Amino acid sequence: DTEVTQTPKHLVMGMTNKKSLKCEQHMGHRAMYWYKQKAKKPPELMFVYSYEKLSINESVPSRFSPECPNSSLLNLHLHALQPEDSALYLCASSQDPSGFGYGYTFGSGTRLTVV
Amino acid sequence: DAKTTQPTSMDCAEGRAANLPCNHSTISGNEYVYWYRQIHSQGPQYIIHGLKNNETNEMASLIITEDRKSSTLILPHATLRDTAVYYCIATPLGAGSYQLTFGKGTKLSVIP
């Protein structure tokens, strides 16, 4: 298995809803990442997990809450989002947190619309 | 991470070689050059990376100048499926978590 699987592929949520995005990989990678991508912009890093521990939080608002229950799974819990949070949310993994290896493997993303 | 500069867009005829330049004049000795591409509405895809030697794999070739201040990604026979945004990233590897910071990239359009 050489993929990063993200579910759901599309999500529409109201500003008072609570929802979660899920990311799974079975490549034995020990680092996992969340990126946010607005339309026609490059991906922006949100969070980095290294050996299941949060190592980088790029000043992301608390309405985004990451969780890494085990080495294969990464969640992003969403609560009280704003319409400007609508974006493509990308998950990625890498073999080693040091970066040696062959880069990141990205999932195809969850397209989130906040109404 | 060193800043990279890429042209905003490029066109390439189908079947011809696509040569995508990247300038990274402030690159440090421990920074690698990575190339990724993102086809519309998909996640970015790793292409190739290198430190100072030229590299080739089944997807592309990477040519890094001797002074390491610039590089060129070469897609030898571009197809319509190579139409994408191509990102050049310079980043150090090693102790601690490394991270990829994406710039604006080059939008490559392969034309029939």
Side-chain angles (χ1 to χ4, degrees), chain B:
Chain B
D1 296 0
K3 179 178 167 57
T4 61
T5 305
Q6 299 177 252
T8 302
S9 63
M10 294 180 63
D11 292 339
C12 178
E14 188 178 18
R16 304 296 294 270
N19 295 279
L20 291 91
C22 179
N23 181 287
H24 31 79
S25 58
T26 62
I27 195 168
S28 300
N30 66 340
E31 288 186 303
Y32 285 69
V33 178
Y34 273 80
W35 283 84
Y36 283 76
R37 71 180 183 183
Q38 187 172 23
I39 295 169
H40 183 60
S41 294
Q42 297 183 20
Q45 177 189 23
Y46 165 82
I47 301 173
I48 199 167
H49 74 284
L51 183 62
K52 53 185 175 182
N53 297 321
N54 297 339
E55 302 287 346
T56 295
N57 63 21
E58 64 278 4
M59 288 183 68
S61 295
L62 173 60
I63 308 298
I64 303 174
T65 58
E66 194 168 340
D67 63 7
R68 300 208 330 119
K69 292 185 177 182
S70 66
S71 60
T72 301
L73 178 75
I74 301 172
L75 308 178
H77 305 286
T79 71
L80 299 179
R81 287 175 294 182
D82 293 321
T83 292
V85 178
Y86 286 77
Y87 296 102
C88 168
I89 302 167
T91 186
L93 304 183
S97 295
Y98 93 116
Q99 55 187 291
L100 292 179
T101 302
F102 289 83
K104 295 180 181 178
T106 295
K107 181 171 172 53
L108 175 69
S109 298
V110 179
I111 300 168

Side-chain angles (χ1 to χ4, degrees), chain A:
Chain A
D1 188 352
T2 58
E3 290 187 347
V4 172
T5 303
Q6 289 188 244
T7 54
K9 292 196 183 307
H10 300 274
L11 178 62
V12 179
M13 62 184 290
M15 290 188 284
T16 58
N17 290 160
K18 286 185 180 181
K19 296 286 185 183
S20 296
L21 309 185
K22 179 180 172 181
C23 173
E24 202 161 2
Q25 58 87 13
H26 297 286
M27 295 177 281
H29 288 181
R30 302 314 304 267
M32 296 184 77
Y33 313 81
W34 280 114
Y35 280 81
K36 173 182 177 179
Q37 186 173 26
K38 302 280 281 183
K40 299 189 188 303
K41 298 290 186 184
E44 295 179 356
L45 183 66
M46 300 174 73
F47 302 106
V48 178
Y49 271 83
S50 175
Y51 292 97
E52 299 155 52
K53 289 188 173 9
L54 182 64
S55 60
I56 294 177
N57 176 340
E58 292 285 1
S59 303
V60 178
S62 60
R63 58 185 184 270
F64 296 91
S65 175
E67 178 196 20
C68 190
N70 58 58
S71 61
S72 299
L73 187 57
L74 187 65
N75 297 320
L76 186 62
H77 303 297
L78 314 172
H79 173 54
L81 294 193
Q82 303 297 311
E84 57 265 28
D85 296 320
S86 299
L88 180 68
Y89 288 84
L90 293 160
C91 174
S93 68
S94 65
Q95 185 174 14
D96 186 274
S98 71
F100 289 106
Y102 292 92
Y104 289 19
T105 301
F106 279 85
S108 43
T110 294
R111 188 161 299 282
L112 174 69
T113 303
V114 182
V115 297

